[in-house]
Amino acid sequence: MGYLLNKEGMNQLLASLRDEYVVYAPKCFVGGGRFSETDCIRYGEIQSIEEVVFDKKSDYSFKEVLTPISQTLFYFTEDSVKEADAPKKGAIVFLRSCDLHGLRRLDDMYLRNGQPDYYYKRLRDRVHFVLMGCDHSFKNCFCVDMGTNISDNYDLSVDVQGDLYALDNKWDQLETLLEDLAVATQEIVPAHVKDNEVHVHIPENLDERIAKSSLWREYDSRCINCGRCNFVCPTCTCWSMQDLFYSENGKAGERRRVLASCMVDGFTDVAGGGSYRKKNGDRMRFKVMHKVYDYKKREDYHMCVGCGRCDDICPEYISFSNIINKLEDGMKEVTGND
Protein backbone atom coordinates (compact mmCIF):
# COMPACT_ATOMS: atom_id res chain seq x y z
CA MET A 1 0.00 0.00 0.00
CA GLY A 2 1.23 3.52 -0.78
CA TYR A 3 1.08 6.45 1.63
CA LEU A 4 1.81 10.16 1.47
CA LEU A 5 3.31 11.64 4.64
CA ASN A 6 4.28 15.20 5.43
CA LYS A 7 7.50 16.06 7.26
CA GLU A 8 5.89 15.82 10.69
CA GLY A 9 4.48 12.40 9.85
CA MET A 10 7.86 11.13 8.65
CA ASN A 11 9.55 12.29 11.83
CA GLN A 12 6.85 10.62 13.96
CA LEU A 13 7.44 7.42 11.97
CA LEU A 14 11.21 7.62 12.58
CA ALA A 15 10.67 8.38 16.26
CA SER A 16 8.53 5.26 16.60
CA LEU A 17 11.10 3.12 14.79
CA ARG A 18 13.97 4.37 16.93
CA ASP A 19 12.53 2.54 19.95
CA GLU A 20 13.72 -0.74 18.41
CA TYR A 21 16.12 0.33 15.67
CA VAL A 22 19.04 2.61 14.94
CA VAL A 23 18.22 4.44 11.71
CA TYR A 24 21.08 4.96 9.25
CA ALA A 25 20.97 7.12 6.13
CA PRO A 26 23.30 9.16 3.92
CA LYS A 27 23.87 12.47 5.75
CA CYS A 28 26.14 15.45 5.30
CA PHE A 29 29.29 15.69 7.41
CA VAL A 30 30.21 19.36 7.12
CA GLY A 31 33.93 19.81 6.52
CA GLY A 32 34.42 16.04 6.32
CA GLY A 33 35.35 15.93 2.64
CA ARG A 34 38.68 14.89 1.15
CA PHE A 35 39.65 18.44 0.31
CA SER A 36 39.69 21.53 2.52
CA GLU A 37 36.33 23.19 3.09
CA THR A 38 34.44 20.37 1.41
CA ASP A 39 31.70 18.19 2.88
CA CYS A 40 31.26 14.44 2.81
CA ILE A 41 28.05 12.47 2.26
CA ARG A 42 28.30 9.20 4.12
CA TYR A 43 26.21 6.93 6.31
CA GLY A 44 25.44 7.89 9.87
CA GLU A 45 22.69 7.63 12.46
CA ILE A 46 19.83 10.06 11.89
CA GLN A 47 17.22 11.49 14.23
CA SER A 48 15.00 13.25 11.67
CA ILE A 49 14.11 13.04 7.99
CA GLU A 50 15.66 16.49 7.41
CA GLU A 51 19.11 14.93 7.95
CA VAL A 52 18.74 12.54 5.01
CA VAL A 53 20.51 13.70 1.83
CA PHE A 54 18.17 12.78 -1.02
CA ASP A 55 19.59 14.94 -3.82
CA LYS A 56 23.21 13.73 -3.85
CA LYS A 57 24.93 10.37 -4.14
CA SER A 58 26.68 9.26 -0.96
CA ASP A 59 30.47 9.14 -1.22
CA TYR A 60 30.54 5.86 0.73
CA SER A 61 28.14 2.93 0.64
CA PHE A 62 25.83 1.50 3.30
CA LYS A 63 28.00 -1.59 3.80
CA GLU A 64 29.72 -0.20 6.91
CA VAL A 65 26.47 -0.87 8.82
CA LEU A 66 26.79 -4.60 8.12
CA THR A 67 30.56 -4.89 7.75
CA PRO A 68 32.10 -2.26 10.04
CA ILE A 69 35.53 -0.90 9.09
CA SER A 70 36.85 -2.35 12.35
CA GLN A 71 34.81 -5.00 14.18
CA THR A 72 35.80 -6.66 17.45
CA LEU A 73 34.97 -10.37 17.29
CA PHE A 74 36.01 -11.51 20.75
CA TYR A 75 38.07 -10.65 23.81
CA PHE A 76 40.67 -12.98 25.25
CA THR A 77 42.77 -13.46 28.32
CA GLU A 78 45.20 -16.18 29.22
CA ASP A 79 42.34 -18.36 30.45
CA SER A 80 39.17 -17.30 28.67
CA VAL A 81 37.53 -16.02 25.52
CA LYS A 82 34.42 -13.79 25.49
CA GLU A 83 32.42 -13.12 22.37
CA ALA A 84 31.82 -9.44 21.59
CA ASP A 85 28.24 -8.37 22.26
CA ALA A 86 25.92 -7.72 19.34
CA PRO A 87 24.25 -4.28 19.09
CA LYS A 88 21.23 -4.10 21.41
CA LYS A 89 19.02 -2.59 18.69
CA GLY A 90 18.36 -3.64 15.11
CA ALA A 91 19.00 -1.26 12.23
CA ILE A 92 17.09 0.46 9.44
CA VAL A 93 19.09 1.58 6.43
CA PHE A 94 18.08 4.09 3.75
CA LEU A 95 19.77 3.16 0.47
CA ARG A 96 19.43 3.36 -3.30
CA SER A 97 18.66 0.61 -5.80
CA CYS A 98 22.31 -0.03 -6.73
CA ASP A 99 23.18 -0.49 -3.05
CA LEU A 100 20.22 -2.80 -2.52
CA HIS A 101 21.64 -4.94 -5.32
CA GLY A 102 25.00 -4.65 -3.55
CA LEU A 103 23.32 -6.16 -0.48
CA ARG A 104 22.53 -9.26 -2.53
CA ARG A 105 26.25 -9.61 -3.31
CA LEU A 106 27.19 -9.21 0.38
CA ASP A 107 24.64 -11.88 1.32
CA ASP A 108 26.13 -14.17 -1.32
CA MET A 109 29.61 -13.74 0.09
CA TYR A 110 28.81 -13.87 3.79
CA LEU A 111 25.77 -16.18 3.96
CA ARG A 112 25.81 -18.45 0.91
CA ASN A 113 29.52 -18.91 0.27
CA GLY A 114 29.94 -21.96 2.47
CA GLN A 115 29.29 -21.73 6.20
CA PRO A 116 27.39 -18.48 6.97
CA ASP A 117 29.48 -15.79 8.63
CA TYR A 118 28.23 -15.66 12.23
CA TYR A 119 29.02 -12.00 12.88
CA TYR A 120 27.49 -10.83 9.61
CA LYS A 121 24.36 -12.94 10.08
CA ARG A 122 23.61 -11.70 13.57
CA LEU A 123 23.59 -8.13 12.22
CA ARG A 124 21.87 -8.96 8.93
CA ASP A 125 18.96 -10.73 10.63
CA ARG A 126 17.99 -7.50 12.39
CA VAL A 127 18.23 -5.01 9.52
CA HIS A 128 15.41 -3.55 7.42
CA PHE A 129 15.95 -1.54 4.24
CA VAL A 130 14.29 1.61 2.95
CA LEU A 131 14.72 2.17 -0.78
CA MET A 132 15.43 5.80 -1.78
CA GLY A 133 14.00 6.38 -5.24
CA CYS A 134 16.36 7.86 -7.87
CA ASP A 135 14.56 10.34 -10.14
CA HIS A 136 17.78 11.10 -12.04
CA SER A 137 21.21 9.64 -12.63
CA PHE A 138 24.25 10.92 -10.74
CA LYS A 139 27.77 11.55 -12.05
CA ASN A 140 29.65 8.38 -13.10
CA CYS A 141 26.66 6.05 -12.46
CA PHE A 142 26.15 3.19 -14.93
CA CYS A 143 23.51 1.20 -13.04
CA VAL A 144 21.21 0.77 -16.07
CA ASP A 145 23.80 -1.19 -18.06
CA MET A 146 24.52 -3.33 -14.98
CA GLY A 147 20.80 -4.02 -14.47
CA THR A 148 20.74 -2.59 -10.94
CA ASN A 149 18.58 0.50 -11.47
CA ILE A 150 15.37 -1.20 -10.26
CA SER A 151 14.77 -3.05 -6.98
CA ASP A 152 11.67 -4.54 -5.39
CA ASN A 153 13.10 -6.39 -2.37
CA TYR A 154 12.75 -3.48 0.04
CA ASP A 155 10.78 -3.20 3.27
CA LEU A 156 9.77 0.39 2.59
CA SER A 157 10.46 2.87 -0.20
CA VAL A 158 10.55 6.65 0.00
CA ASP A 159 10.40 9.30 -2.72
CA VAL A 160 10.41 13.04 -2.14
CA GLN A 161 7.43 14.67 -3.85
CA GLY A 162 7.58 18.39 -3.09
CA ASP A 163 6.75 18.81 0.60
CA LEU A 164 5.53 15.24 0.90
CA TYR A 165 7.16 11.82 1.14
CA ALA A 166 5.67 9.00 -0.95
CA LEU A 167 6.06 5.61 0.71
CA ASP A 168 5.45 2.11 -0.61
CA ASN A 169 5.18 -0.27 2.32
CA LYS A 170 5.97 -4.01 2.35
CA TRP A 171 6.59 -4.17 6.09
CA ASP A 172 3.49 -5.50 7.86
CA GLN A 173 4.57 -4.10 11.23
CA LEU A 174 4.29 -0.54 9.89
CA GLU A 175 0.89 -0.79 8.23
CA THR A 176 -1.26 0.47 11.12
CA LEU A 177 1.21 3.22 12.01
CA LEU A 178 1.35 4.47 8.42
CA GLU A 179 -2.44 4.50 8.17
CA ASP A 180 -2.51 6.81 11.20
CA LEU A 181 0.25 9.14 9.97
CA ALA A 182 -0.61 9.43 6.26
CA VAL A 183 -2.25 12.52 4.81
CA ALA A 184 -3.37 10.47 1.80
CA THR A 185 -3.04 7.04 0.22
CA GLN A 186 -2.24 6.22 -3.38
CA GLU A 187 -0.41 3.65 -5.45
CA ILE A 188 3.33 4.34 -5.24
CA VAL A 189 5.98 3.10 -7.66
CA PRO A 190 9.51 4.04 -6.51
CA ALA A 191 11.34 6.32 -8.93
CA HIS A 192 14.22 4.72 -10.81
CA VAL A 193 16.84 5.80 -13.31
CA LYS A 194 16.03 4.93 -16.92
CA ASP A 195 19.27 6.10 -18.53
CA ASN A 196 22.80 7.07 -17.49
CA GLU A 197 25.27 9.38 -19.19
CA VAL A 198 27.91 6.67 -18.74
CA HIS A 199 27.53 3.38 -20.59
CA VAL A 200 29.59 0.21 -20.38
CA HIS A 201 29.93 -2.76 -22.66
CA ILE A 202 31.31 -6.06 -21.41
CA PRO A 203 32.49 -8.19 -24.35
CA GLU A 204 30.77 -11.58 -24.59
CA ASN A 205 34.08 -13.32 -25.39
CA LEU A 206 35.80 -12.01 -22.24
CA ASP A 207 37.93 -14.70 -20.61
CA GLU A 208 41.24 -15.29 -18.81
CA ARG A 209 43.28 -14.51 -21.91
CA ILE A 210 42.72 -10.80 -21.18
CA ALA A 211 45.40 -11.15 -18.48
CA LYS A 212 48.03 -11.02 -21.28
CA SER A 213 46.74 -7.72 -22.68
CA SER A 214 48.98 -4.67 -22.52
CA LEU A 215 46.07 -2.55 -21.24
CA TRP A 216 46.92 -3.40 -17.60
CA ARG A 217 50.38 -1.91 -17.87
CA GLU A 218 48.88 1.61 -18.00
CA TYR A 219 47.84 1.15 -14.39
CA ASP A 220 51.28 0.11 -13.18
CA SER A 221 52.09 3.81 -12.98
CA ARG A 222 48.68 5.54 -12.90
CA CYS A 223 47.30 3.60 -9.92
CA ILE A 224 48.91 4.52 -6.60
CA ASN A 225 47.41 1.50 -4.74
CA CYS A 226 45.63 3.64 -2.13
CA GLY A 227 42.66 1.23 -2.06
CA ARG A 228 40.01 3.94 -1.92
CA CYS A 229 38.07 2.25 -4.75
CA ASN A 230 37.67 -0.85 -2.60
CA PHE A 231 36.58 0.94 0.53
CA VAL A 232 33.76 2.86 -1.17
CA CYS A 233 32.57 -0.14 -3.20
CA PRO A 234 29.32 -1.66 -1.85
CA THR A 235 30.40 -5.15 -2.96
CA CYS A 236 34.06 -5.38 -1.84
CA THR A 237 34.24 -7.80 1.10
CA CYS A 238 37.93 -8.41 1.80
CA TRP A 239 39.16 -8.03 5.36
CA SER A 240 42.13 -8.98 7.51
CA MET A 241 42.55 -9.96 11.16
CA GLN A 242 44.30 -7.91 13.82
CA ASP A 243 45.04 -8.77 17.45
CA LEU A 244 45.13 -5.84 19.84
CA PHE A 245 47.02 -6.64 23.04
CA TYR A 246 46.20 -4.78 26.23
CA SER A 247 49.50 -5.64 27.90
CA GLU A 248 53.10 -6.23 26.88
CA ASN A 249 52.95 -9.95 27.63
CA GLY A 250 50.22 -10.47 25.01
CA LYS A 251 47.98 -12.49 27.33
CA ALA A 252 44.94 -10.21 27.20
CA GLY A 253 43.40 -8.34 24.30
CA GLU A 254 40.85 -8.48 21.51
CA ARG A 255 40.67 -9.83 17.98
CA ARG A 256 39.32 -7.55 15.28
CA ARG A 257 38.58 -7.94 11.63
CA VAL A 258 39.35 -4.87 9.60
CA LEU A 259 38.36 -4.01 6.05
CA ALA A 260 41.20 -4.63 3.62
CA SER A 261 41.90 -3.97 -0.05
CA CYS A 262 43.22 -6.10 -2.90
CA MET A 263 44.77 -2.93 -4.35
CA VAL A 264 47.19 -2.14 -1.51
CA ASP A 265 50.69 -3.41 -0.78
CA GLY A 266 50.87 -6.54 1.29
CA PHE A 267 47.42 -7.95 0.52
CA THR A 268 48.76 -10.87 -1.52
CA ASP A 269 51.93 -11.43 0.49
CA VAL A 270 52.48 -15.06 1.48
CA ALA A 271 54.83 -16.97 3.72
CA GLY A 272 58.40 -17.03 2.48
CA GLY A 273 58.33 -13.44 1.24
CA GLY A 274 56.34 -14.07 -1.94
CA SER A 275 53.59 -11.87 -3.38
CA TYR A 276 51.09 -12.90 -6.05
CA ARG A 277 50.38 -9.46 -7.52
CA LYS A 278 53.26 -7.00 -7.11
CA LYS A 279 52.40 -4.65 -9.98
CA ASN A 280 49.51 -2.23 -9.57
CA GLY A 281 48.28 -3.10 -13.06
CA ASP A 282 48.00 -6.76 -12.07
CA ARG A 283 45.97 -5.78 -9.02
CA MET A 284 43.70 -3.73 -11.25
CA ARG A 285 43.29 -6.72 -13.58
CA PHE A 286 42.31 -8.93 -10.66
CA LYS A 287 39.76 -6.41 -9.38
CA VAL A 288 38.20 -5.74 -12.77
CA MET A 289 37.94 -9.41 -13.70
CA HIS A 290 36.44 -10.24 -10.32
CA LYS A 291 33.78 -7.57 -10.75
CA VAL A 292 32.75 -8.33 -14.35
CA TYR A 293 33.85 -11.90 -15.08
CA ASP A 294 34.82 -14.33 -12.29
CA TYR A 295 31.83 -13.65 -10.07
CA LYS A 296 29.35 -14.00 -12.92
CA LYS A 297 30.72 -17.43 -13.77
CA ARG A 298 29.62 -18.60 -10.33
CA GLU A 299 26.51 -16.50 -9.57
CA ASP A 300 25.27 -15.73 -13.11
CA TYR A 301 25.25 -11.98 -12.55
CA HIS A 302 28.00 -9.40 -12.24
CA MET A 303 29.43 -8.27 -8.94
CA CYS A 304 29.74 -4.62 -10.02
CA VAL A 305 26.48 -2.69 -9.47
CA GLY A 306 27.49 0.42 -11.45
CA CYS A 307 27.29 2.95 -8.60
CA GLY A 308 30.39 4.74 -9.92
CA ARG A 309 31.77 5.56 -6.47
CA CYS A 310 35.19 4.14 -7.42
CA ASP A 311 35.37 6.71 -10.20
CA ASP A 312 34.22 9.48 -7.88
CA ILE A 313 36.89 8.88 -5.27
CA CYS A 314 39.99 7.90 -7.25
CA PRO A 315 42.71 10.56 -6.71
CA GLU A 316 44.26 9.61 -10.07
CA TYR A 317 40.98 9.97 -12.00
CA ILE A 318 41.02 6.34 -13.05
CA SER A 319 37.60 5.41 -14.41
CA PHE A 320 36.39 1.86 -13.78
CA SER A 321 33.75 2.21 -16.50
CA ASN A 322 36.47 3.23 -18.98
CA ILE A 323 38.46 0.14 -18.07
CA ILE A 324 35.40 -2.05 -18.73
CA ASN A 325 35.03 -0.42 -22.13
CA LYS A 326 38.70 -1.15 -22.93
CA LEU A 327 38.19 -4.89 -22.44
CA GLU A 328 36.89 -5.41 -25.98
CA ASP A 329 40.07 -3.99 -27.52
CA GLY A 330 42.07 -5.98 -24.99
CA MET A 331 40.42 -9.21 -26.15
CA LYS A 332 41.10 -8.31 -29.79
CA GLU A 333 44.76 -7.78 -28.85
CA VAL A 334 45.18 -11.18 -27.16
CA THR A 335 43.11 -13.12 -29.72
CA GLY A 336 44.63 -11.48 -32.79
CA ASN A 337 46.39 -14.65 -33.92
CA ASP A 338 43.44 -17.00 -33.28
Side-chain angles (χ1 to χ4, degrees):
M1 175 64 74
Y3 300 93
L4 293 177
L5 272 65
N6 57 25
K7 187 182 299 181
E8 290 73 22
M10 279 299 298
N11 282 328
Q12 290 181 46
L13 173 64
L14 294 178
S16 298
L17 293 172
R18 287 203 306 275
D19 291 339
E20 296 182 51
Y21 301 95
V22 178
V23 183
Y24 296 96
K27 58 189 287 187
C28 181
F29 289 81
V30 177
R34 290 178 291 138
F35 305 103
S36 65
E37 300 180 354
T38 61
D39 303 331
C40 178
I41 311 298
R42 64 184 306 167
Y43 275 77
E45 182 179 352
I46 62 162
Q47 305 296 322
S48 67
I49 195 65
E50 292 94 327
E51 294 179 78
V52 183
V53 177
F54 283 97
D55 60 347
K56 296 177 182 176
K57 178 170 61 174
S58 64
D59 298 304
Y60 295 83
S61 82
F62 74 100
K63 73 176 179 181
E64 293 170 17
V65 175
L66 287 169
T67 58
I69 295 173
S70 177
Q71 182 180 28
T72 299
L73 305 184
F74 56 83
Y75 303 90
F76 59 85
T77 67
E78 193 172 10
D79 303 315
S80 64
V81 174
K82 179 186 179 301
E83 177 185 316
D85 295 333
K88 291 183 171 56
K89 289 185 176 181
I92 292 172
V93 182
F94 284 59
L95 76 180
R96 300 186 186 278
S97 176
C98 57
D99 282 340
L100 202 46
H101 282 270
L103 173 69
R104 181 183 180 188
R105 278 74 171 163
L106 295 183
D107 286 350
D108 284 340
M109 296 301 295
Y110 283 103
L111 301 179
R112 297 186 282 270
N113 185 28
Q115 184 72 18
D117 183 284
Y118 170 80
Y119 293 96
Y120 179 86
K121 189 175 186 304
R122 75 177 186 177
L123 293 174
R124 177 69 176 86
D125 287 345
R126 302 173 65 197
V127 180
H128 294 274
F129 295 94
V130 179
L131 174 66
M132 303 167 65
C134 283
D135 58 6
H136 67 282
S137 179
F138 296 100
K139 180 182 178 184
N140 292 325
C141 292
F142 51 98
C143 55
V144 176
D145 287 346
M146 301 309 295
T148 60
N149 55 318
I150 300 175
S151 294
D152 60 7
N153 58 331
Y154 51 82
D155 296 293
L156 186 71
S157 76
V158 56
D159 286 87
V160 179
Q161 294 184 358
D163 295 331
L164 298 177
Y165 298 88
L167 310 180
D168 181 41
N169 182 42
K170 297 183 179 182
W171 189 356
D172 293 341
Q173 181 183 337
L174 299 185
E175 202 66 38
T176 302
L177 180 59
L178 288 171
E179 289 175 357
D180 293 339
L181 296 175
V183 296
T185 60
Q186 68 178 49
E187 199 68 27
I188 302 292
V189 177
H192 65 273
V193 174
K194 298 179 177 62
D195 190 26
N196 304 124
E197 290 185 8
V198 177
H199 291 279
V200 296
H201 171 68
I202 303 170
E204 293 184 359
N205 66 336
L206 182 64
D207 61 30
E208 293 87 350
R209 290 174 293 178
I210 195 73
K212 297 179 180 178
S213 171
S214 61
L215 78 89
W216 308 114
R217 302 285 63 86
E218 172 186 348
Y219 304 101
D220 287 343
S221 56
R222 284 191 66 193
C223 176
I224 59 173
N225 58 52
C226 64
R228 288 178 176 180
C229 51
N230 296 127
F231 295 123
V232 300
C233 176
T235 67
C236 279
T237 56
C238 291
W239 42 265
S240 62
M241 287 292 184
Q242 294 180 355
D243 285 342
L244 176 65
F245 298 105
Y246 298 155
S247 59
E248 290 185 357
N249 64 15
K251 294 182 178 178
E254 61 185 79
R255 171 157 293 186
R256 299 173 175 176
R257 67 176 173 189
V258 182
L259 286 184
S261 163
C262 61
M263 299 300 295
V264 302
D265 286 336
F267 185 78
T268 61
D269 288 356
V270 295
S275 179
Y276 285 110
R277 292 184 291 274
K278 292 182 179 179
K279 294 181 178 179
N280 295 345
D282 292 339
R283 297 170 188 175
M284 185 67 75
R285 183 206 69 230
F286 172 80
K287 184 184 73 173
V288 172
M289 291 295 282
H290 188 46
K291 298 292 184 185
V292 301
Y293 177 70
D294 300 332
Y295 186 83
K296 187 179 181 183
K297 286 178 64 178
R298 185 173 64 185
E299 303 292 345
D300 204 31
Y301 57 89
H302 292 299
M303 174 174 270
C304 176
V305 296
C307 70
R309 290 190 179 96
C310 49
D311 289 20
D312 298 335
I313 203 158
C314 180
E316 296 297 306
Y317 303 103
I318 294 172
S319 168
F320 188 76
S321 55
N322 280 348
I323 298 174
I324 294 176
N325 288 329
K326 290 178 179 178
L327 294 176
E328 185 165 6
D329 286 341
M331 284 305 298
K332 290 178 181 176
E333 175 191 355
V334 298
T335 61
N337 295 325
D338 290 355

